[in-house]
């Protein structure tokens, strides 16, 4: 066999070509990942914007909505901008008889359990909303916001009322 000598310049050129091929492959992979992410975000946005559930993020201190999905206007008759402009609005819409229950829920901080309350729509009708939330912690580890989903469960309201009365009766029996 013959001995082939490769000049230092050819060796460097070959090394650079391999490195360039590797960088191009990484770039293609990154572009594919970015496109997959864009498509995934678009699908989630469609679900959020066209779903029937209200998605929200409520910052606790100072109290304000950081996000309310547009469907809130169909469910409650108030636009998302009204909730951004008045963080108290959601509390004002809760039926007077359910405000103590809501306050208890907020003070307990057990956001994982669902909460169903009656809410007054802009047109004056009362609906049942069930809320499921998760706490969102800030850099200091304290709960900074609540993120959740609220759903109109009015069709099941008679069941909620029945459960409420049964729970009260069970508590009275325990006394």
């Amino acid at each position: 066999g013959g001995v082939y000598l490769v000049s230092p310049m050819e060796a460097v050129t070959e090394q650079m070509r391999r490195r360039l091929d590797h960088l191009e492959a990484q770039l293609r992979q990154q572009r594919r990942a970015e496109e997959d992410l864009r498509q995934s975000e678009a699908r989630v946005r469609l679900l959020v914007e066209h779903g029937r559930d209200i998605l929200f993020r409520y910052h606790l201190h100072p109290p304000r909505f950081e996000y309310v999905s547009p469907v809130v206007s169909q469910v409650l008759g108030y636009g998302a901008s009204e909730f951004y402009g008045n963080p108290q609005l959601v509390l004002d819409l809760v039926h007077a008889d359910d405000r103590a229950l809501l306050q208890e829920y907020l003070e307990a901080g057990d956001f994982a359990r669902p909460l169903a309350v009656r809410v007054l729509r802009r047109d004056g009708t009362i609906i049942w909303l069930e809320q499921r939330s998760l706490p969102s912690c800030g850099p200091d580890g304290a709960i900074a916001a609540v993120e959740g989903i609220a759903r109109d469960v009015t069709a099941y309201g008679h069941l909620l009322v029945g459960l409420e009365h049964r729970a009260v009766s069970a508590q009275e029996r325990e006394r």
Side-chain angles (χ1 to χ4, degrees):
V3 176
Y4 298 99
L5 296 177
V6 177
S7 72
M9 184 59 120
E10 288 173 323
V12 168
T13 302
E14 179 60 25
Q15 186 179 16
M16 289 177 68
R17 187 192 60 72
R18 281 194 304 260
R19 179 73 178 137
L20 184 59
D21 288 347
H22 177 71
L23 289 173
E24 286 175 343
Q26 283 183 321
L27 184 59
R28 280 192 302 275
Q29 183 180 359
Q30 183 177 349
R31 285 183 179 153
R32 264 193 313 273
E34 288 172 356
E35 181 57 30
D36 289 349
L37 180 60
R38 267 193 294 279
Q39 289 177 8
S40 177
E41 287 173 345
R43 285 190 299 272
V44 169
R45 192 175 310 108
L46 279 173
L47 285 171
V48 168
E49 292 175 358
H50 300 290
R52 294 180 16 215
D53 295 338
I54 302 167
L55 277 68
F56 64 89
R57 179 177 168 84
Y58 189 79
H59 192 270
L60 298 175
H61 304 289
R64 71 182 187 282
F65 278 97
E66 293 178 350
Y67 179 78
V68 179
S69 57
V71 75
V72 73
S73 63
Q74 293 172 351
V75 176
L76 297 176
Y78 294 88
S81 62
E82 294 176 88
F83 287 91
Y84 297 136
N86 179 4
Q88 183 71 29
L89 179 59
V90 70
L91 302 173
D92 294 343
L93 297 178
V94 172
H95 191 280
D97 292 344
D98 292 347
R99 286 189 184 141
L101 180 65
L102 176 62
Q103 193 62 39
E104 204 176 278
Y105 175 81
L106 293 172
E107 288 170 4
D110 182 13
F111 299 113
R113 70 180 168 96
L115 172 71
V117 293
R118 289 166 290 177
V119 177
L120 185 65
R121 289 178 35 92
R122 174 169 265 157
D123 67 8
T125 59
I126 295 174
I127 64 169
W128 281 93
L129 273 187
E130 180 186 60
Q131 170 184 308
R132 293 178 181 267
S133 306
L134 292 172
S136 177
C137 295
D140 62 355
I143 297 175
V146 178
E147 299 170 340
I149 299 173
R151 172 177 289 170
D152 180 352
V153 292
T154 305
Y156 308 106
H158 66 283
L159 297 174
L160 296 170
V161 171
L163 288 174
E164 181 180 295
H165 289 301
R166 274 182 271 176
V168 170
S169 296
Q171 288 172 356
E172 288 172 354
R173 282 194 301 269
E174 290 173 4
R175 290 185 190 156

